[in-house]
Amino acid sequence: MKPLGVKNYGSIGHIPESRMGSGDHHCPPGQAAIATGKTRDKHDEVFSQEKLDGSNCGIAKVNGVIYPLTRSGYVATTSPYPQHHRFAEWVYFYQARFDALLQEGERVVGEWLIQAHSTRYILPHEPFVVFDLFTAKNKRSPYDELAARLNPFEFVMPKLLHRGSAFSLASALKAIETSGHGAIDPVEGVIWRVERKGRVEFLCKYVR
């Protein structure tokens, strides 16, 4: 069952220097240039964050019910992978916390880090790191709104590496030499989030 009727989260395009896997795609060249080279004007704001290496999961409120979701949008308890069942247990344990956070039709999406993939962590915080909040109309919320909504409930966000003008790949790689999340292997990569006039315009990423 897909409670939202859509995928929980789509794919983010890679900048040209990024390592890509099967099914991945590049972002448009113009987007990479804005994020890592030069913004168009004063209305562009670039956020750069540490990319985490776990399982993309989400929590949605539909008809007043809290649902733990896999990336594809299915309820996590239907997944064949044990880590998603552990995620569902964690979400239900904190059900009241998510119920207070979310309005009807909204969802938060983040990285579930209970199982090592390519990067191992000694986490200094809980194993779910939130990077997006979507409205009931499936629109991504701006960074400041996301942070303001999460802070009262003490949810963790990915380490913010930079905020302002374009942020070069070289600067980003320097910034992830030390993980904000206890990575004991090299940090997997970087996410760029470009907002314009208070709206999220696009995201792009680099993977080692």
Side-chain angles (χ1 to χ4, degrees):
M1 179 180 71
K2 285 188 176 183
L4 294 166
V6 296
K7 289 182 68 174
N8 175 47
Y9 206 76
S11 59
I12 297 173
H14 292 249
I15 65 172
E17 300 88 344
S18 178
R19 175 179 61 82
M20 294 175 60
S22 175
D24 287 341
H25 66 280
H26 281 118
C27 68
Q31 291 185 355
I34 292 167
T36 66
K38 184 178 180 181
T39 51
R40 290 162 289 191
D41 53 39
K42 65 180 183 180
H43 298 297
D44 282 340
E45 187 170 23
V46 178
F47 300 79
S48 187
Q49 295 172 285
E50 178 176 338
K51 186 180 186 304
L52 294 160
D53 185 20
S55 181
N56 182 300
C57 293
I59 301 95
K61 181 189 275 191
V62 181
N63 296 324
V65 178
I66 298 299
Y67 290 98
L69 305 174
T70 62
R71 182 174 194 151
S72 59
Y74 290 99
V75 177
T77 53
T78 66
S79 169
Y81 301 107
Q83 66 165 323
H84 293 143
H85 291 259
R86 302 294 81 77
F87 175 67
E89 292 171 3
W90 183 83
V91 171
Y92 291 137
F93 183 82
Y94 287 112
Q95 183 168 335
R97 190 177 173 205
F98 287 109
D99 188 48
L101 168 68
L102 296 170
Q103 298 176 16
E104 177 60 34
E106 290 184 334
R107 73 185 186 278
V108 285
V109 183
E111 208 76 2
W112 179 237
L113 298 167
I114 200 169
Q115 177 176 309
H117 292 250
S118 296
T119 307
R120 296 168 298 167
Y121 297 89
I122 299 176
L123 294 171
H125 51 66
E126 63 186 4
F128 187 61
V129 178
V130 181
F131 48 70
D132 264 317
L133 168 68
F134 288 88
T135 69
K137 295 183 178 180
N138 203 29
K139 299 295 184 184
R140 182 180 271 114
S141 297
Y143 182 91
D144 286 340
E145 180 181 335
L146 171 64
R149 292 280 298 276
L150 295 177
N151 284 344
F153 302 98
E154 300 183 338
F155 285 106
V156 181
M157 293 175 64
K159 179 184 177 182
L160 183 65
L161 309 172
H162 166 84
R163 177 176 185 170
S165 57
F167 195 53
S168 71
L169 176 58
S171 296
L173 291 175
K174 182 72 175 176
I176 59 172
E177 287 180 356
T178 301
S179 169
H181 302 276
I184 59 174
D185 297 307
V187 172
E188 186 189 37
V190 182
I191 299 287
W192 285 264
R193 177 189 188 102
V194 177
E195 297 188 6
R196 185 170 178 82
K197 298 181 180 180
R199 298 180 63 182
V200 183
E201 192 160 87
F202 65 87
L203 276 65
C204 56
K205 66 183 177 183
Y206 168 81
V207 179
R208 289 184 192 272

